[in-house]
Amino acid sequence: MRWEWRRLMICQSIAPTLETHLTFLARYALLLKLWAQIFLLVPKLIDHAVLIVISMQILEKFQVRKKASGKLSPLQQLQRMFSHKESAPRRMLLVVVDEMDYLITRDRAVLHDLFMLTTLQFSRCILIGIANAIDLADRFLPKLESLNCKPLVITFRAYSKDQISNIINHRLKVLEYDVFEPMAIEFCARKVAAATGDMRKALGVCRSAVEIFESGLQDSSDKGAGVVTFDHMDIALSKVFKPAVVNNILCLPQHQQMVLCALANTFQHSRKKATTLGELNKSYIEICRSTQVPAVGMLEFSNMCMILSDQGYLKLGQSKEDKLRRVTLQIDISDITFAFKGSRFFEKCLEQPKF
């Protein structure tokens, strides 16, 4: 790799002389090959460094220093120390590794070597790993069982509604004023407990609700004191627990989103399950007029509907006349309203009556 880098530097330094002999494609291919080698090497170096740091910390706890003349790595020194009765320390060491998921490497070497330290004949280590993945050992380290090193797995239940609510209220006790409505905290606790039971997610939702409340204060002329309400929490939760289709709707261009709003307005207060492209265009134009957004022409509108049809949001029928093509909605209206919840512009679009 050093030779190739030197060669590349030479090519760049005397480029005017060699330009006619070394084509751009050849130099580009050389650079790609060099970067490929670097990217393949970096993960291995990082994994090795992580293992060295962990091994060094264990050695420090045993108050064992590596000899200056020794050529053994910290891990090899631990393996040798635990393999001989004379060198093995007398006291036990409890090693607690939190967020063990982050130690999952491409070749699983870091986790494998850590677990194997506990199997050596005179090992004095007890390893406790904390991970989010329940099946971490079975999924990523299946060989441990054949090596008589399969760990005992203790599964803890996710946080319940009451536990989440109690933790949030306990943290809020340090404040001398109210921040949340009790109903808002209960709503957050119920929603998170039913979905994941992740306490960090619950705290993240509360933080997001406070930010929504603060942004509302900035936009409002009333700067008086207030608290985070149920509505603020509802918006924050909707951002966290939105389905995939909602994310996809939010990624659409503005005019395609307005077409979906026009479809929602058409079917929301009607028993009809289909409309025509011409009627949908009228509803779309009415939304553009009320929001002061220039509407696109009929041809471009038809193309937008075809794109939405290809993506599965609506279904277009066949007709000789474009305006008479049958249009049906392929997603729930609730997904459209849910996606635009908290957006003043699109909430105004959805307030428009059927044309």
Side-chain angles (χ1 to χ4, degrees):
M1 191 170 71
R2 291 180 181 176
W3 177 83
E4 290 183 350
W5 178 251
R6 192 180 298 115
R7 177 183 169 188
L8 183 63
M9 294 299 292
I10 292 170
C11 291
Q12 288 178 343
S13 62
I14 58 175
T17 308
L18 299 180
E19 189 67 37
T20 55
H21 303 288
L22 187 62
T23 63
F24 171 78
L25 185 61
R27 285 187 293 168
Y28 185 65
L30 182 63
L31 189 61
L32 283 179
K33 185 179 179 182
L34 174 65
W35 278 110
Q37 290 182 357
I38 291 173
F39 281 117
L40 285 173
L41 183 62
V42 166
K44 293 180 181 179
L45 291 175
I46 293 173
D47 298 347
H48 184 63
V50 169
L51 197 53
I52 287 175
V53 171
I54 295 173
S55 302
M56 287 177 65
Q57 289 180 346
I58 296 174
L59 284 172
E60 287 176 6
K61 291 296 180 182
F62 280 125
Q63 297 179 346
V64 176
R65 293 185 179 180
K66 185 180 175 182
K67 296 179 181 178
S69 59
K71 295 182 180 180
L72 297 177
S73 68
L75 176 63
Q76 290 172 335
Q77 192 174 358
L78 277 174
Q79 290 170 341
R80 172 181 271 189
M81 186 171 67
F82 292 152
S83 300
H84 300 88
K85 187 175 181 180
E86 296 78 15
S87 58
R90 292 184 179 181
R91 63 191 182 93
M92 297 293 294
L93 179 66
L94 181 65
V95 181
V96 181
V97 182
D98 196 6
E99 301 291 353
M100 191 174 265
D101 312 70
Y102 290 100
L103 295 180
I104 299 172
T105 55
R106 188 174 297 178
D107 58 359
R108 319 287 195 257
V110 175
L111 280 178
H112 183 270
D113 289 335
L114 273 178
F115 277 106
M116 291 306 295
L117 278 177
T118 64
T119 64
L120 297 173
Q121 187 176 2
F122 301 102
S123 175
R124 309 299 290 169
C125 280
I126 300 173
L127 179 64
I128 296 179
I130 304 169
N132 293 318
I134 298 175
D135 58 346
L136 184 140
D138 294 331
R139 186 178 173 188
F140 297 104
L141 299 167
K143 293 182 180 179
L144 290 179
E145 187 172 5
S146 61
L147 297 170
N148 196 27
C149 186
K150 186 177 180 180
L152 173 67
V153 178
I154 302 174
T155 305
F156 291 89
R157 291 183 180 180
Y159 285 98
S160 66
K161 171 188 70 71
D162 294 333
Q163 289 172 328
I164 293 173
S165 179
N166 290 338
I167 291 172
I168 294 173
N169 286 317
H170 179 74
R171 292 202 173 191
L172 291 172
K173 281 182 180 180
V174 297
L175 303 175
E176 298 177 355
Y177 47 85
D178 293 331
V179 179
F180 295 91
E181 285 182 352
M183 191 181 295
I185 295 176
E186 185 180 352
F187 182 44
C188 173
R190 285 181 180 275
K191 187 75 175 180
V192 174
T196 61
D198 188 345
M199 190 63 222
R200 288 173 295 187
K201 185 160 285 187
L203 294 173
V205 169
C206 290
R207 187 182 302 110
S208 178
V210 171
E211 290 171 357
I212 293 167
F213 168 71
E214 288 177 343
S215 64
L217 284 180
Q218 292 173 1
D219 298 336
S220 174
S221 58
D222 183 15
K223 302 294 182 181
V227 293
V228 177
T229 64
F230 180 92
D231 292 336
H232 296 129
M233 190 65 74
D234 188 24
I235 296 170
L237 284 164
S238 68
K239 290 180 179 179
V240 175
F241 296 105
K242 51 193 172 189
V245 66
V246 173
N247 280 326
N248 295 336
I249 291 172
L250 291 172
C251 293
L252 291 173
Q254 185 186 42
H255 281 274
Q256 292 183 25
Q257 291 174 334
M258 293 170 73
V259 172
L260 291 180
C261 289
L263 271 170
N265 291 339
T266 301
F267 298 125
Q268 196 162 18
H269 305 295
S270 172
R271 292 183 179 180
K272 290 171 61 178
K273 294 183 179 179
T275 186
T276 62
L277 203 60
E279 289 295 320
L280 180 60
N281 181 249
K282 290 177 183 179
S283 180
Y284 160 77
I285 291 172
E286 184 65 23
I287 289 175
C288 290
R289 201 173 287 157
S290 66
T291 55
Q292 298 181 344
V293 174
V296 300
M298 185 61 194
L299 181 60
E300 191 174 345
F301 177 81
S302 178
N303 289 335
M304 283 197 304
C305 290
M306 288 178 66
I307 292 171
L308 290 172
S309 176
D310 291 340
Q311 294 179 347
Y313 295 105
L314 55 89
K315 186 176 180 182
L316 281 176
Q318 299 294 328
S319 179
K320 292 181 180 179
E321 254 190 276
D322 237 11
K323 290 184 178 180
L324 298 178
R325 294 181 72 178
R326 191 169 184 265
V327 183
T328 53
L329 189 61
Q330 297 294 101
I331 59 174
D332 291 333
I333 294 175
S334 59
D335 287 333
I336 299 173
T337 55
F338 189 79
F340 298 131
K341 200 166 189 177
S343 170
R344 291 184 179 180
F345 176 83
F346 286 107
E347 283 182 347
K348 187 176 181 181
C349 292
L350 291 166
E351 287 173 1
Q352 299 302 313
K354 179 186 179 296
F355 187 80

